[in-house]
Amino acid sequence: MKIGKMTIQETEDEIVEEFEMFGDWSEKFEHIIALGKKLPSFPAELQLEENKVRGCQSNVWLTTDLRDGKIHLEGDSDALIVKGLVALVLKVYSDHTPDEIINTPLTFIQRLGLSASLSPTRSNGLDSMIKKIKFYALAYKAKMNS
Amino acid sequence: MSSAATNITPLNITSIREDFPILHQKVHGKPLIYFDNAATSQKPQLVIDRINQYYTKENSNIHRGTYYLSELASNAYEGARDAIQKQFNAEKREEIIFVRGATEGINLVASSWGRKNLKAGDDVLITGMEHHANIVPWQQICIEKGAKLKVLPVDDNGQIHIDEFESMISEHTKFISVVHVSNGIGSINPVKEMIAIAHKHNIPVLVDGCQAVPHRKIDVQDLDADFYTFSGHKVFGPTGTGILYGKEKFLEDMPPYQMGGDMIKFVSFEHTTFNSLPYKFEAGTPHISGGIGLATAFEYVDSIGRENIEAYENELLHYADEKFNEVDGIRILGNTKNKIPVFSFVVEGTHPFDIGTMLDFEGVAIRTGNHCTQPLMERFGVSASCRASLAFYNTKEEVDNFIIALNKVIKMLK
């Protein structure tokens, strides 16, 4: 076990390793659903249009703030599986510097080998969520440099 | 849309399923259960073979060649038009326009008829269960012309009411565009009665027949529809095909929709004379293999028998309806008895996306989302639903297995 904060890549590798332990798809889903259930839902006052990452089929909400030069992320979704995946994206990307987020593409979702419907697409809103995180990272970076 | 109780031959589903090669495969290790027929239907081998034969032996451009192959292709394509004219009992072959699908059919009429005839203060009437393709083209031409789009309400059972329909017609109503069968909830609308009422007021009617044509035999003269359109891929034909039927008197009066080759008679840099019907509305090289394949799809459906299909699908509808209603926490949107086997549903405490995603791993293909009917979903107070839509190649056994999978998935999500 590594002491201190893991890099984005290390967290991704850890997640992929974790998923390799599961046998069939239902075990993988049970795990994702458990993660979704564990992630606290946004209070109604945060389920705002401005925090919404609109997907075709499910909604994702995202908030960001800068803490000691690192971006802290919180997220939620109305679909449980998407919420579980949001929890994983937060685990990977939250509390990293803008540079780390900008320079490290997210690969773990594809590596989990779930299905096309769970890859970051327009339909589940994950695609827009990741784009939005990158966008915030660029904006925070510009703000920090100014 | 009635069927005689006599002359019904029970379908041999095992043999019918043999005609659809795609059905015999495993998805995520489970036998495929294809319940997304309202989105698109699967293709019988006969259609696949016909398209293959076209590209293997007949491919060439139509209507212009002086050579053998072009004559072969032209005859096959125009033969397909004749077959489709017969299939829909249109009075004339000139009334059958090949389009890319119902979306193009509706856009053609909204754009061509609408631009010429609509003006400020006019109304266009649609229903609350239209597909986006029968909302947006009318909405946009209304905005352009300063006309108003009026919407006939849908009741809690997912039905529209004739008296309410009649009461919404006024001297401002210039056009009516209605869906024959709802893609969202499967309700069959009384379009023949609606057309009769509209015609008392001299208002032309377009019928979006996308979900009706795969399930019922359509007679455009019996309906007295002024326009009737559908997509070929939903009726076991190729994607990118469709038909717009229009009464000759309307089509003659309408300006061309797209300009290009094949739709002209004479072109100079200053002036163009347009071709006659149906070619006036068929600019450019068409989807030749698609049109031929579409006619073959109807040939296939006829070989099974429309009445036989309807009888079997009704049996499947009632069987599935009972099984669906037994699922704990399920709410089926629209519960009219007069419907096709389409089940739009939500399950208490679950999100449709989660259900659809997990059913995929059970080999089940259904649609989740708003089914391109956002206003209809809103009408039922949901933003999305799951939709299982069945065709005549589906079985009761598949319904049983679907329910087992659905219950398993719901249990995991709760």
Side-chain angles (χ1 to χ4, degrees):
Chain A
M1 190 77 186
K2 191 178 158 174
I3 308 295
K5 178 84 182 160
M6 289 197 282
T7 67
I8 290 174
Q9 231 156 18
E10 282 166 347
T11 313
E12 284 199 301
D13 291 345
E14 191 191 71
I15 292 169
V16 173
E17 227 170 88
E18 210 177 300
F19 270 80
E20 276 166 3
M21 298 186 328
F22 301 120
D24 67 347
W25 71 268
S26 59
E27 288 181 10
K28 288 183 183 179
F29 272 121
E30 267 170 21
H31 184 61
I32 294 172
I33 289 164
L35 289 170
K37 284 179 179 167
K38 222 163 73 185
L39 185 72
S41 293
F42 269 24
E45 64 263 29
L46 278 180
Q47 288 188 357
L48 296 171
E49 205 53 41
E50 62 191 78
N51 294 332
K52 209 169 186 175
V53 182
R54 202 174 272 276
C56 191
Q57 300 211 9
S58 60
N59 291 309
V60 174
W61 292 276
L62 175 75
T63 60
T64 65
D65 63 289
L66 200 62
R67 298 178 181 175
D68 302 326
K70 289 176 176 174
I71 300 176
H72 180 73
L73 301 168
E74 299 213 21
D76 190 9
S77 173
D78 52 358
L80 207 47
I81 293 169
V82 179
K83 196 172 170 184
L85 292 172
V86 166
L88 290 171
V89 172
L90 298 179
K91 187 177 174 188
V92 170
Y93 266 161
S94 190
D95 302 308
H96 283 280
T97 65
D99 269 331
E100 285 169 336
I101 292 173
I102 293 162
N103 296 326
T104 324
L106 212 61
T107 63
F108 80 92
I109 298 175
Q110 281 92 335
R111 283 156 69 198
L112 295 182
L114 291 168
S115 80
S117 56
L118 291 185
S119 57
T121 60
R122 192 172 71 94
S123 77
N124 58 31
L126 273 180
D127 174 49
S128 321
M129 181 193 183
I130 294 162
K131 275 195 193 127
K132 208 163 178 179
I133 293 172
K134 297 263 182 193
F135 169 79
Y136 276 117
L138 284 167
Y140 281 124
K141 187 183 174 180
K143 204 168 145 192
M144 284 159 72
N145 292 341
S146 65
Chain B
M1 286 185 129
S2 62
S3 69
T6 47
N7 305 327
I8 302 292
T9 316
L11 299 190
N12 181 347
I13 303 299
T14 314
S15 136
I16 285 173
R17 288 179 69 83
E18 286 303 315
D19 297 335
F20 292 84
I22 205 170
L23 298 176
H24 308 280
Q25 62 179 301
K26 289 195 168 177
V27 170
H28 302 296
K30 304 271 172 72
L32 168 69
I33 298 177
Y34 187 76
F35 276 5
D36 196 18
N37 293 287
T40 197
S41 61
Q42 299 304 347
K43 320 305 169 199
Q45 191 65 50
L46 196 70
V47 171
I48 299 167
D49 287 346
R50 185 64 190 90
I51 294 166
N52 189 18
Q53 183 196 321
Y54 171 78
Y55 284 117
T56 314
K57 294 188 172 152
E58 298 158 273
N59 178 49
S60 55
N61 213 329
I62 55 167
H63 299 153
R64 8 175 115 64
T66 52
Y67 52 89
Y68 174 74
L69 274 188
S70 177
E71 197 185 317
L72 214 57
S74 300
N75 288 345
Y77 191 65
E78 291 306 325
R81 193 190 309 273
D82 292 336
I84 289 161
Q85 177 206 344
K86 224 173 124 195
Q87 177 72 221
F88 286 83
N89 191 31
E91 197 186 341
K92 297 173 177 174
R93 70 188 312 279
E94 288 77 10
E95 297 174 325
I96 301 296
I97 316 284
F98 279 112
V99 288
R100 280 187 296 134
T103 296
E104 187 176 49
I106 297 166
N107 272 280
L108 190 160
V109 178
S111 176
S112 173
W113 188 95
R115 194 156 286 131
K116 182 170 180 185
N117 295 293
L118 287 175
K119 53 184 192 313
D122 288 345
D123 290 345
V124 172
L125 181 58
I126 61 171
T127 79
M129 59 172 96
E130 300 306 326
H131 187 283
H132 294 163
N134 201 25
I135 301 173
V136 186
W138 296 111
Q139 175 193 69
Q140 293 302 310
I141 194 72
C142 282
I143 291 170
E144 187 182 316
K145 292 289 180 176
K148 221 188 268 162
L149 187 66
K150 295 221 162 159
V151 185
L152 176 66
V154 177
D155 74 7
D156 289 341
N157 291 332
Q159 287 171 302
I160 50 173
H161 294 277
I162 278 285
D163 46 344
E164 208 168 355
F165 169 70
E166 188 154 22
S167 73
M168 284 188 76
I169 294 175
S170 74
E171 73 269 26
H172 301 293
T173 314
K174 287 289 146 61
F175 198 88
I176 295 168
S177 196
V178 292
V179 68
H180 197 164
V181 175
S182 160
N183 74 305
I185 51 177
S187 315
I188 300 172
N189 288 324
V191 290
K192 190 176 173 180
E193 290 83 344
M194 293 165 88
I195 291 166
I197 290 167
H199 285 176
K200 278 200 303 192
H201 302 267
N202 286 318
I203 306 163
V205 181
L206 180 148
V207 180
D208 165 8
C210 276
Q211 303 295 337
V213 175
H215 302 279
R216 297 291 188 276
K217 177 106 181 166
I218 303 298
D219 181 330
V220 289
Q221 291 193 73
D222 178 56
L223 288 178
D224 203 17
D226 302 293
F227 298 96
Y228 197 100
T229 190
F230 68 93
S231 297
H233 70 97
K234 293 190 200 281
V235 58
F236 320 105
T239 54
T241 66
I243 295 295
L244 171 69
Y245 157 83
K247 281 183 185 162
E248 191 181 32
K249 62 173 180 181
F250 288 106
L251 293 176
E252 278 294 0
D253 191 50
M254 283 158 55
Y257 170 56
Q258 287 180 344
M259 315 294 162
D262 226 22
M263 54 79 68
I264 48 84
K265 239 182 207 140
F266 173 81
V267 176
S268 72
F269 285 115
E270 293 76 30
H271 184 71
T272 296
T273 324
F274 299 122
N275 204 340
S276 54
L277 288 174
Y279 312 110
K280 183 172 90 173
F281 292 108
E282 294 181 355
T285 296
H287 188 357
I288 306 167
S289 66
I292 297 168
L294 177 57
T296 308
F298 283 116
E299 217 175 279
Y300 177 77
V301 169
D302 285 347
S303 76
I304 293 173
R306 283 285 189 173
E307 288 83 7
N308 303 336
I309 290 174
E310 189 180 333
Y312 174 71
E313 285 186 350
N314 277 333
E315 195 184 316
L316 205 54
L317 166 69
H318 294 127
Y319 183 80
D321 192 47
E322 207 166 285
K323 297 283 173 187
F324 271 80
N325 276 298
E326 284 168 11
V327 174
D328 203 28
I330 201 167
R331 177 183 159 217
I332 295 170
L333 309 181
N335 62 359
T336 164
K337 293 284 164 262
N338 190 21
K339 66 184 277 191
I340 57 163
V342 164
F343 300 90
S344 217
F345 63 93
V346 288
V347 180
E348 202 189 339
T350 66
H351 193 286
F353 178 83
D354 290 333
I355 289 182
T357 303
M358 291 172 73
L359 280 178
D360 174 45
F361 281 82
E362 293 287 330
V364 175
I366 59 159
R367 171 90 182 260
T368 65
N370 60 50
H371 323 298
C372 294
T373 56
Q374 282 179 27
L376 181 65
M377 292 294 117
E378 209 171 290
R379 161 71 186 81
F380 284 103
V382 298
S383 61
S385 74
C386 301
R387 184 188 66 189
S389 51
L390 283 57
F392 63 83
Y393 44 64
N394 291 125
T395 65
K396 289 181 186 173
E397 190 191 350
E398 284 182 306
V399 172
D400 291 341
N401 290 333
F402 171 83
I403 297 293
I404 292 169
L406 180 62
N407 280 321
K408 176 179 171 183
V409 159
I410 292 169
K411 204 173 150 200
M412 284 176 73
L413 285 167
K414 278 194 170 170

